[in-house]
């Protein structure tokens, strides 16, 4: 038996994705007969049907579904190994794939990437932004070398992902100039239920931390009058600048607006049992990586830089 080749696997994966021999050939810049021959040889070699031919269309067969899962693992590992070999030349070239939740990616991470690029100018950094839940899934499936999130890792992924704190920030209750709290500057916990709210979508790290804080303060989310839900912090900011609602948002995101006076951060006093303490919401930033996947040299160096920055106090 000759055994399957990487080239056959790449051709098979293209056909499985396109479900069309000609389009797969175009994607790979090879001829359609070459694609057909590769699939035919695999089917003959192992005595299975990878695709059902139904008229002019094809459908993936059970054997094809199995091969699709295993081929993706093999090709991902080959890709990582190739990257690792290219990076052996003193980190002078290579690619680092990062996934970041929105607040971190827009306000905290850029300075870290800039510092890394100044040390290793030949390195390409590909950074994708999404909410915390999507970044966790992407890191677990190998889409990212490292993930950076401010929300929790779901229990279903905790055995897959290793995570540790590399920074932090605070969530603040913020209002615009038209809100009565803007003049007050300070409220009691009990007053949180006496206004309308603009919030982030479920799956957002910001929303996770805000809901946790409410629970710790003895307030159920259902007690708040939520009038708008957005999938970005920028949209929540814009909504309250021109309206009367309140938001819970990262201090990194509203630093400029607070300085300009268009928004104001409101101190919340924990008046339960006569405490009178300021109720703060401090949240950690987590670095994620897969527990078992091969980690490139670039990934290790960037990871160490983040940890060193935290130890130096430059969060």
């Amino acid at each position: 038996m000759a055994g399957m080749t990487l080239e056959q696997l790449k051709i098979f994966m293209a056909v499985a994705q396109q479900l069309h021999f000609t389009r797969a050939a175009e994607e790979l810049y090879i001829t359609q007969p070459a694609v057909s021959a590769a699939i035919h040889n695999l089917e003959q070699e192992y005595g299975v049907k990878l695709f059902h031919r139904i008229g002019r269309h094809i459908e993936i067969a059970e054997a094809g579904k199995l091969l699709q899962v295993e081929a993706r693992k093999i090709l991902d590992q080959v890709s990582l190994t190739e990257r690792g070999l290219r990076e052996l030349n003193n980190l002078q070239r290579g690619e680092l794939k990062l996934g970041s939740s929105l607040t971190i990616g827009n306000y905290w991470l850029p300075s870290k990437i800039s510092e890394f690029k100044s040390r290793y100018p030949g390195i390409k950094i590909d950074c994708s932004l999404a909410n915390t839940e999507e970044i966790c899934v992407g890191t677990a499936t190998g889409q990212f070398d490292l993930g950076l999130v401010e929300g929790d890792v779901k229990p279903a992924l905790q055995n897959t992902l290793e995570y540790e704190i590399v920074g932090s920030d605070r969530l603040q209750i913020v209002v615009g100039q038209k809100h009565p709290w803007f003049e007050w500057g300070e409220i009691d916990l009990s007053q949180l239920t006496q206004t309308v709210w603009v919030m982030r979508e479920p799956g957002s790290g910001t929303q996770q931390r805000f809901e946790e804080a409410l629970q710790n303060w003895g307030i159920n989310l259902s007690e708040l009058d939520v009038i708008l839900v957005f999938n970005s912090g920028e949209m929540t900011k814009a909504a309250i600048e021109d309206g009367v609602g309140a938001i819970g948002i990262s201090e990194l995101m509203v630093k400029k607006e607070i300085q300009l006076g268009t928004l104001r951060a409101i101190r919340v006093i924990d008046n339960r049992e006569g405490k009178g303490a300021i109720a703060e919401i401090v949240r950690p930033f987590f670095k994620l990586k897969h527990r078992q996947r091969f980690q490139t040299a670039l990934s290790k160096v960037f990871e160490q830089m983040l940890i060193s920055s935290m130890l130096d106090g430059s969060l």
Side-chain angles (χ1 to χ4, degrees):
M1 295 178 65
M4 67 179 66
T5 67
L6 289 176
E7 186 63 24
Q8 286 176 326
L9 290 182
K10 290 177 181 177
I11 292 172
F12 164 78
M13 290 297 288
V15 176
Q17 181 177 8
Q18 299 287 347
L19 290 178
H20 198 283
F21 282 73
T22 301
R23 286 199 292 268
E26 291 171 351
E27 176 185 319
L28 298 171
Y29 299 101
I30 59 177
T31 64
Q32 190 271 335
V35 170
S36 298
I39 300 302
H40 175 75
N41 290 339
L42 281 173
E43 292 179 328
Q44 288 293 107
E45 182 77 19
Y46 299 100
V48 296
K49 275 289 181 185
L50 298 175
F51 298 97
H52 297 302
R53 282 73 169 175
I54 305 174
R56 299 182 63 182
H57 305 285
I58 62 171
E59 294 180 0
I60 191 164
E62 285 302 312
K65 293 177 181 177
L66 171 64
L67 182 57
Q68 189 177 27
V69 172
E70 298 304 322
R72 172 50 58 206
K73 295 177 185 177
I74 293 168
L75 294 175
D76 283 348
Q77 189 62 45
V78 169
S79 177
L80 283 170
T81 303
E82 289 175 340
R83 286 174 55 195
L85 290 173
R86 287 194 294 268
E87 292 167 3
L88 291 177
N89 190 15
N90 296 320
L91 301 180
Q92 292 180 10
R93 60 178 180 171
E95 181 181 15
L96 179 64
K97 296 181 180 180
L98 302 177
S100 174
S101 54
L102 301 173
T103 301
I104 292 177
N106 283 318
Y107 296 94
W108 184 83
L109 188 57
S111 63
K112 312 299 180 187
I113 292 177
S114 179
E115 179 184 349
F116 188 79
K117 285 287 289 182
S118 69
R119 298 183 190 179
Y120 307 102
I123 301 305
K124 176 185 176 183
I125 296 182
D126 181 358
C127 185
S128 299
L129 302 185
N131 68 30
T132 289
E133 189 172 322
E134 293 170 307
I135 297 304
C136 288
V137 171
T139 307
T141 56
Q143 184 180 350
F144 312 122
D145 298 317
L146 295 173
L148 293 153
V149 300
E150 67 265 17
D152 291 326
V153 178
K154 287 190 172 182
L157 294 178
Q158 289 181 3
N159 289 332
T160 302
L161 298 176
E162 178 182 314
Y163 51 99
E164 64 178 310
I165 296 173
V166 291
S168 67
D169 81 337
R170 290 187 302 163
L171 291 188
Q172 296 181 321
I173 306 301
V174 175
V175 298
Q177 293 176 340
K178 296 179 182 179
H179 198 289
W181 293 353
F182 190 90
E183 298 299 327
W184 303 354
E186 181 178 294
I187 61 169
D188 293 335
L189 271 181
S190 58
Q191 293 174 280
L192 291 177
T193 58
Q194 298 172 14
T195 188
V196 296
W197 289 86
V198 177
M199 297 212 175
R200 286 288 305 277
E201 83 286 3
S204 155
T206 296
Q207 186 64 15
Q208 286 181 18
R209 293 302 177 196
F210 185 59
E211 291 181 20
E212 287 172 8
L214 289 174
Q215 287 183 336
N216 292 336
W217 296 337
I219 299 173
N220 193 297
L221 180 64
S222 63
E223 297 178 59
L224 302 188
D225 183 7
V226 181
I227 58 171
L228 291 170
V229 176
F230 291 117
N231 63 1
S232 85
E234 293 296 330
M235 294 174 74
T236 63
K237 279 197 305 184
I240 68 159
E241 277 187 301
D242 295 323
V244 295
I247 56 174
I249 194 169
S250 165
E251 64 180 351
L252 294 172
M253 295 190 67
V254 291
K255 184 177 181 180
K256 179 180 177 182
E257 288 80 4
I258 289 175
Q259 289 175 341
L260 293 172
T262 59
L263 296 177
R264 184 169 185 182
I266 305 302
R267 286 200 305 174
V268 179
I269 304 300
D270 187 348
N271 55 356
R272 295 174 297 172
E273 302 174 2
K275 292 179 181 179
I278 297 175
E280 290 191 308
I281 314 173
V282 179
R283 62 175 179 175
F285 291 161
F286 292 106
K287 169 190 60 65
L288 313 175
K289 66 179 179 182
H290 199 283
R291 292 185 183 274
Q292 296 180 321
R293 286 182 184 274
F294 172 79
Q295 190 180 13
T296 67
L298 279 177
S299 175
K300 292 177 181 177
V301 172
F302 189 82
E303 178 183 11
Q304 189 55 51
M305 186 197 74
L306 293 178
I307 294 171
S308 297
S309 295
M310 183 186 67
L311 295 176
D312 291 341
S314 53
L315 301 183

